[in-house]
Amino acid sequence: MALRRRDSELKHLGVSHLEYKRVEMDRVLTGFLMRVNHNGLSSKMVQRKELSVDAFVTEFTKEQHAAKFPGFAEHSDIARRWIETQLLDMVNRGRSSQAVAGLRPLHGLTYKFRNYYHSRAYGADAQLYQMLRHARGGQGQAALEQLRRFFFTGLGSAPHGGADDEAADARIDVETHAVLHLNSQVTQDAPQQVRGWYDAPPLCVGQADLLADDVLRLMSLKDLLPRVTLVEYLKILFALHLALGQLKAMKLLPHVVARGGADPACGPDHCPATGTAADPLAGCPFRAGLFVDAASIPGTAAAALAEQSAAAWHRRIPDFVRAGYVVRRLDDFADHLVSRGEATRPSRGHATVGELLRFSSDAYQERRERYFEARLESILVETPREEQPEAVRPLLEASMGLGAFEQYIELLMAYRGRYHHKYLIETIDSLLLKNRAGALIAQPHRGRRRFVLDSALLEVLVQVALLRPNPRGTRSRFTHHTVSLRLDEFTDLLRTRYGLHIDRLPAADGFAVPGPEEEAALRANTEAFTTKLREIGFYDDLSDAYFTQVITPRFVIARDGTVTAGSGK
C-alpha cells in the first residue's frame, strides 16, 4: 500500500526548493527569468492552449510583419528551420512526439510563451533565485540587477535605465526582436501572490556568495561575447552551482540533524566563506570534493578514480533522505503544536531547519513520541501485515529499542527510500549535465558514473577565473579586468573554489592517502587537463620555463577598460 501524501512528502523549502526530478536548464533559466521579473514570485499567466511550430511560423511570415522580419515570408522554409532550431525549446526534438516547450531563454520575457506542462523547472528556478537573492554583501542583488539589464533588453523601461541601456537596445539581435514582437500581444502578466512564501537564506549561504561572484564576473563580458554564447555560459554556470549546492546539502544536512541544530560555522552570520577571496571557502567544514577525469576516457586509471569519487557521493544519498524526512516531519510536528496553542509560529510564517531541529530535543520528547505514535499507528492500521515490506517488520519489534519517532522515520525510509534515491540521482545527473555539453558527470551505456570535465564547462570556468574586480574609481566601462594564471594556480583555483580535483585526491570525500598507482594516474590526469586547455585555446607553453606556462584570456581587458586581442584562440 502506498503512503499518504502527508507521510511520503520529503521536500522542505528550508533544505531546498528542488523537487528532485530531472530538469532541463533551458526551462530552469526560463522560470528563473520569470522570477527575476516578479521579484522571486511566479507568474499568474499560464499558457493553456498547445503551442505549435506552425503557429510561430505563421506569425512571423505574415505580410504585415514583413518590415520587422524581412525575407521571412519569401523564404518560409528557411524561416521555419530557424524558428524550430534557434528560437524554440522543444521536448522530444526530432521525434514524432516532439512538442513546443516554449521559446529558448534568450530574453527575459520568454516565460510568457511557454507551454507550462512541457516547461516545468521543478523548483530549480526558485532555488537559483533564492541563492542569488540571499548572497551576502550586496553581491546577490548586484548580480540579479546585471542579469535583469542583460536579459530584459529592448524594453526601454528597465529599472535604472540609462545610456548603457539605450546603447544595448540599439544592438538587439533578431531573437530579441522576435520576442519583443510577441510580447506586444501579451498584457495579462502579473506576479502570483503566495501566502507564507518561504524567503530565507539557502542551507549553504557560502555557495550562494560564490554563485553571485561568478555571475558578476561573467556578466562583465556581456559586451564582448555574442548573446547566445553568454546565455549558454550562464546555463552551464547555473547548473554547476545548483549541483554543488545539492552535493553540499547532502553533506551538511545529516550533520546538523545528528547534532540537533545548525552548525556554528553555518548561516549568514557565521559562514566563513568569502566569494571574492583567493580561497573563498576557507574554513568551511562542508566543502565538496570531486575528482574529475580530465581526459574523459573510460577505462583509464584516472577514470576509475573518478568513478570512485562519484560512488562516494552517491553513498551519501540515503543519509540525506533520512535527514530530509526528519526535518519535514518535525515541520509537521511544529504545525501541530502551533494549531494546539503549544508553540508559536515564527513571525515570518515559516521555520528554518535550525529552528525546526529544536523540536527534536529532549524537552519535546514525550509530546513528540505521542504525536508520531499516532501517525505510525494510522499507517499500520491501513496496511495489513502481509502487505508491509519485509524491512519494516523488524523495526516494529520492541526488541529494537526504537522510539515512535525513530520507528516512523525508518518506516518511511523502508517504503520510500529507494524511490527518493532514484530521483535524487536523476536530479544530480541533470544538474551535472550528464553526457551533454558542459558535463561534470558521464556514464557510458551500462557503465558506472564518473566525474569528468567537459570542454564547454572548462571554457566557462577559465573565463570566470581570469577575471578580477576593477579597483574603485576606475574609469573602465568593465566591472572586471583580466589576468593570466599559471597552470598550477588554475588547478588550485578549481580545487578551492569549486572542489574540482585534478592533480590530487579529495581526502575528505572517499579517498585515502594515494599510493604509487594513484600518483601515476594523477600525473596522467594533469597532462590530459593541460592538453584540453590547449585544445580550447587558453593555454600556451612557449618553453620549458615554468613561468611561461600560463593560461591567457582570449581578449585582454585592462584596468582602464582598454580591450586588446589576447593570445587565446
Side-chain angles (χ1 to χ4, degrees), residues 28 139 156 163 180-181 224 227-228 299 320 322 379 450 511:
V28 172
Q139 294 287 91
L180 295 177
H181 168 72
L224 300 175
R227 185 180 186 84
V228 173
F320 173 75
R322 183 178 286 102
I379 295 176
R450 73 185 189 282
F511 291 93

Side-chain angles (χ1 to χ4, degrees), residues 252-253 255-264 353-358 360:
L252 170 60
L253 188 65
H255 170 81
V256 299
V257 168
R259 75 186 306 274
D263 191 278
V353 171
E355 291 168 338
L356 288 174
L357 289 175
R358 70 186 178 93
S360 66

Side-chain angles (χ1 to χ4, degrees), residues 488-508:
D488 64 310
E489 291 176 326
F490 184 53
T491 55
D492 287 347
L493 182 145
L494 291 181
R495 184 180 64 257
T496 58
R497 193 172 181 86
Y498 307 105
L500 307 183
H501 288 58
I502 307 291
D503 56 353
R504 64 185 71 181
L505 298 175

Side-chain angles (χ1 to χ4, degrees), residues 1-273:
M1 174 181 175
L3 297 177
R4 293 181 181 181
R5 182 178 178 85
R6 72 166 189 168
D7 295 307
S8 62
E9 182 69 32
L10 174 67
K11 178 181 175 181
H12 188 275
L13 299 182
V15 176
S16 177
H17 289 261
L18 292 172
E19 296 177 17
Y20 306 123
K21 299 286 182 67
R22 184 180 297 277
V23 299
E24 294 288 339
M25 287 310 299
D26 272 345
R27 289 143 218 182
V28 172
L29 183 53
T30 297
F32 170 73
L33 293 173
M34 169 187 65
R35 294 184 182 277
V36 170
N37 200 33
H38 293 313
N39 297 317
L41 299 176
S42 59
S43 173
K44 285 184 178 180
M45 192 181 74
V46 176
Q47 183 65 250
R48 300 193 180 278
K49 64 179 182 179
E50 188 75 16
L51 299 170
S52 68
V53 177
D54 290 339
F56 283 101
V57 172
T58 299
E59 176 63 29
F60 289 114
T61 55
K62 289 179 179 178
E63 290 187 7
Q64 61 263 40
H65 303 322
K68 285 185 178 180
F69 305 102
F72 275 48
E74 295 84 351
H75 305 283
S76 58
D77 55 335
I78 298 176
R80 182 185 184 88
R81 287 198 294 272
W82 174 80
I83 290 169
E84 187 170 351
T85 59
Q86 301 299 316
L87 193 64
L88 296 181
D89 173 26
M90 309 287 291
V91 296
N92 301 322
R93 187 183 290 275
R95 302 177 186 174
S96 59
S97 59
Q98 81 169 10
V100 175
L103 299 178
R104 291 180 62 204
L106 300 174
H107 191 276
L109 298 175
T110 51
Y111 70 88
K112 295 184 179 182
F113 312 98
R114 60 175 182 155
N115 184 335
Y116 174 78
Y117 300 103
H118 293 315
S119 188
R120 282 175 284 189
Y122 295 111
D125 55 336
Q127 179 69 13
L128 184 59
Y129 184 87
Q130 288 298 103
M131 288 176 72
L132 284 174
R133 171 175 166 76
H134 291 284
R136 297 170 297 176
Q139 294 287 91
Q141 292 298 330
L144 286 171
E145 181 60 25
Q146 287 278 357
L147 292 167
R148 184 190 302 274
R149 291 164 71 92
F150 172 72
F151 277 103
F152 289 86
T153 186
L155 298 178
S157 58
H160 312 298
D164 290 344
D165 292 321
E166 294 173 4
D169 292 353
R171 299 192 302 271
I172 58 177
D173 49 41
V174 64
E175 290 88 356
T176 301
H177 274 299
V179 176
L180 295 177
H181 168 72
L182 294 171
N183 183 62
S184 64
Q185 306 172 27
V186 178
T187 59
Q188 305 95 331
D189 183 40
Q192 178 73 52
Q193 299 299 324
V194 179
R195 178 178 296 180
W197 169 247
Y198 194 103
D199 183 24
L203 200 60
C204 178
V205 73
Q207 193 66 42
D209 293 348
L210 194 57
L211 167 62
D213 185 58
D214 279 1
V215 170
L216 288 173
R217 293 189 188 203
L218 200 54
M219 291 308 297
S220 67
L221 303 178
K222 64 182 182 297
D223 294 331
L224 300 175
L225 295 174
R227 185 180 186 84
V228 173
T229 299
L230 185 54
V231 172
E232 291 300 316
Y233 279 4
L234 285 169
K235 286 192 293 186
I236 292 172
L237 187 69
F238 288 161
L240 172 67
H241 281 280
L242 285 170
L244 292 178
Q246 175 58 35
L247 293 178
K248 190 170 288 189
M250 287 162 51
K251 200 172 185 178
L252 170 60
L253 188 65
H255 170 81
V256 299
V257 168
R259 75 186 306 274
D263 191 278
C266 289
D269 298 328
H270 306 100
C271 175

Side-chain angles (χ1 to χ4, degrees), residues 350-523:
H350 56 77
T352 64
V353 171
E355 291 168 338
L356 288 174
L357 289 175
R358 70 186 178 93
F359 294 106
S360 66
S361 66
D362 292 343
Y364 291 90
Q365 182 175 0
E366 182 180 351
R367 188 69 183 86
R368 185 177 64 247
E369 290 295 296
R370 291 204 312 270
Y371 174 77
F372 285 105
E373 186 175 355
R375 290 281 289 263
L376 184 64
E377 186 66 23
S378 69
I379 295 176
L380 298 178
V381 165
E382 296 176 4
T383 310
R385 183 176 178 84
E386 59 271 14
E387 294 183 15
Q388 297 172 4
E390 291 186 9
V392 169
R393 298 169 191 172
L395 301 174
L396 306 178
E397 297 177 2
S399 60
M400 292 293 290
L402 299 178
F405 181 46
E406 292 173 300
Q407 283 183 321
Y408 179 69
I409 294 298
E410 293 302 328
L411 183 143
L412 298 183
M413 288 296 295
Y415 272 100
R416 301 287 284 179
R418 289 186 178 181
Y419 172 88
H420 291 303
H421 189 280
K422 171 189 174 183
Y423 281 103
L424 266 162
I425 288 179
E426 286 194 5
T427 300
I428 294 169
D429 280 351
S430 60
L431 292 176
L432 293 176
L433 304 176
K434 188 179 82 170
N435 296 340
R436 303 176 66 178
L440 191 53
I441 198 168
Q443 183 182 23
H445 182 62
R446 296 184 178 179
R448 298 178 63 192
R449 289 173 175 82
R450 73 185 189 282
F451 293 127
V452 296
L453 189 58
D454 181 77
S455 296
L457 172 59
L458 180 58
E459 181 171 335
V460 174
L461 296 180
V462 171
Q463 296 277 29
V464 170
L466 298 182
L467 290 163
R468 297 290 183 274
N470 266 343
R472 292 183 178 181
T474 180
R475 296 182 179 181
S476 173
R477 62 191 177 96
F478 298 99
T479 57
H480 293 68
H481 67 275
T482 56
V483 297
S484 296
L485 292 176
R486 295 196 315 268
L487 182 64
D488 64 310
E489 291 176 326
F490 184 53
T491 55
D492 287 347
L493 182 145
L494 291 181
R495 184 180 64 257
T496 58
R497 193 172 181 86
Y498 307 105
L500 307 183
H501 288 58
I502 307 291
D503 56 353
R504 64 185 71 181
L505 298 175
D509 291 300
F511 291 93
V513 178
E517 293 182 359
E518 288 84 2
E519 291 288 0
L522 293 175
R523 288 193 296 270

